[in-house]
Amino acid sequence: DAYPLACTSITPTTQAAWVSAPVAVTLMPGVVPMVSFVLRPAGGVSGDVDFLFLAASPAAKVFPSLVLGQTSTVTFTVTNIGPATTGVLAASLTGTGANQFEIGTNNCGVALAPNGTCTIQATFAPTLAGATKPASVQLVGTPGGTLPITLSGTGVQPAVLALAPATQNFGTVGVGKSSPLVTYTVTNAGGTTTAPVTVTSSDAAFAVSGSTCTDALPQSGTCQVKVAFVPTAIAAKMATLTATAGTVTTTATVTGNGIAAPALTLTPSALDLGTVIVNEQKQMPFMLKNVGGFTLTGFTAYMGGMNGNGPFIIDDRICSMASLAPGATCPVNVTFQPDPSNTGLNTPVSATVLISAGGTNPASVMGTVSGIETWPLAPNPSSIDYGSVKVGTSSSSTVRFTNVASKPVGPLTVTVSPAVFTITSNQCNGNFQWAPGGFCDVVVSYTPTAAMVSVGGVSVAGIPNVTVGVHLHGVGTP
């Protein structure tokens, strides 16, 4: 019932010389023998510096990814697990990546008794992006051996903002107007997520709107804002757009020139052409002036009112073919030509004028034109009230018609109605033409035939096509 005993050879570590000696083992039936061996270097505990007494907790450290310029520190506890006191421990950083680490507080520069402990700190302080090359903290004691504590980590580029376009000239914009919107893009060109992003302008004339830059940006993430130049004063402007994410900022330069907005004036704003006789005409100009800061082109004119443009004709051909520089003027002629079909006397007429410049800098201005239409024959009086006249009797009045035109009028035809009114003397009938300033008289009688109110009129027609009337009124009494 004997169990075989097999002994396995032990290969000594480098520089170790192990003592070999007979080992006596007593074998008992049915019992598996347990044999313990304590191996010591030849010559005692000080005989071999490679005999390791030391252990670290943690045994190695993988640091979390860290932004360049930041640091992270870990504390290692070192224990003497050997049978004897170590020599004084010496600490150093080794490896091709050692320049990315630092040794911090070190309490291990002493000899450790068996089961004794000490602490040492290692700090990851990356200056290069990417995973570190091999590195370790080495603790060496004689005796005690060499204890390597492996260190590793990854350095990442910090968040870096870029703002494009870096420069922008918004050009010339009128005060109170707005330039076209320009879209700016903010990009995180760094290696880590930013803080929430905002974009601001150093001058309110460069207005920021439509921003999607409110949240944090991941690596290579983007957001946009829109910017317009809205000058409030006549001045050249330069300002800075700033994108901010925590302590990270970037800027862009914006410029623009605020000038007087496109604008026109009419002088006078209300053009009165006075009294003009039918079949004659009168022309007067508005003076159109560019009072803005832009050269204006593409002029058009519109005239109208409740009854269209009536007896007025506008001629904008001079301005319509011109470009009007700031401060320059040009005439816009208006012709007043009374309508001969109008049978009224001294009739006021008016119309509205709208003049506009087109192109990229539109502007417009409004004005009014007015005048009085009259006729070549001016009656005096223009109306006759016979008052009360006894039925069967007559009352007469004389009307003088004067040619107030600059041309002869006639021949003339004079008529009267109703029958209670009659012409008893007429110098105006016939083929005679009345020269300017000439006149003729017509005597009109009222002979009521009943007790009633009578209303009528005298009408004079002639060549050219003019008509003028005189209002008649009378009351027949018993």
Side-chain angles (χ1 to χ4, degrees), residues 336-377:
F336 181 20
Q337 184 172 300
D339 183 0
S341 65
N342 192 335
T343 59
L345 183 65
N346 295 332
T347 304
V349 289
S350 64
T352 299
V353 174
L354 173 64
I355 298 177
S356 300
T360 57
N361 297 299
S364 61
V365 63
M366 293 185 69
T368 59
V369 293
S370 61
I372 296 176
E373 294 180 329
T374 191
W375 281 260
L377 294 176

Side-chain angles (χ1 to χ4, degrees), residues 34-326:
M34 300 295 292
V35 181
S36 298
F37 295 91
V38 176
L39 302 181
R40 299 183 184 279
V45 297
S46 62
D48 190 345
V49 296
D50 288 330
F51 190 85
L52 185 61
F53 289 4
L54 302 174
S57 178
K61 177 62 179 179
V62 178
F63 287 86
S65 295
L66 205 61
V67 174
L68 302 187
Q70 296 182 349
T71 61
S72 178
T73 299
V74 65
T75 299
F76 297 93
T77 299
V78 178
T79 303
N80 181 358
I81 60 173
T85 300
T86 70
V88 174
L89 301 181
S92 63
L93 282 170
T94 63
T96 55
N99 61 351
Q100 301 298 292
F101 300 90
E102 299 172 355
I103 292 178
T105 301
N106 179 10
N107 297 318
C108 289
V110 295
L112 290 182
N115 297 317
T117 63
C118 65
T119 59
I120 186 170
Q121 290 182 333
T123 298
F124 181 35
T127 60
L128 300 174
T132 60
K133 294 180 179 180
S136 64
V137 173
Q138 255 189 183
L139 289 170
V140 178
T142 304
T146 300
L147 173 67
I149 304 173
T150 303
L151 306 176
S152 62
T154 301
V156 295
Q157 293 287 353
V160 178
L161 293 182
L163 183 60
T167 61
Q168 177 69 40
N169 184 356
F170 284 82
T172 299
V173 179
V175 172
K177 304 294 183 179
S178 176
S179 72
L181 289 167
V182 173
T183 298
Y184 279 78
T185 299
V186 181
T187 303
N188 178 6
T192 188
T193 299
T194 70
V197 178
T198 59
V199 179
T200 58
S201 170
S202 65
D203 191 320
F206 297 92
V208 177
S209 64
S211 175
T212 63
C213 297
T214 55
D215 298 326
L217 288 182
Q219 185 179 7
S220 300
T222 62
C223 62
Q224 285 80 36
V225 298
K226 296 183 183 298
V227 180
F229 180 40
V230 188
T232 57
I234 299 174
K237 291 280 191 177
M238 177 180 288
T240 301
L241 298 179
T242 302
T244 303
T247 59
V248 180
T249 63
T250 188
T251 61
T253 301
V254 288
T255 56
N257 188 28
I259 65 173
L264 292 165
T265 60
L266 277 179
T267 304
S269 59
L271 183 63
D272 185 0
L273 285 91
T275 300
V276 179
I277 297 168
V278 170
N279 292 321
E280 295 188 1
Q281 65 181 26
K282 183 178 181 180
Q283 187 180 83
M284 291 178 66
F286 283 110
M287 193 58 67
L288 181 68
K289 184 175 183 179
N290 180 358
V291 295
F294 297 85
T295 296
L296 303 180
T297 59
F299 289 94
T300 58
Y302 167 80
M303 178 174 283
M306 293 183 63
N307 300 309
N309 59 352
F312 301 102
I313 301 170
I314 190 165
D315 181 3
D316 70 333
R317 287 176 296 176
I318 295 176
C319 286
S320 66
M321 294 186 294
S323 61
L324 206 58

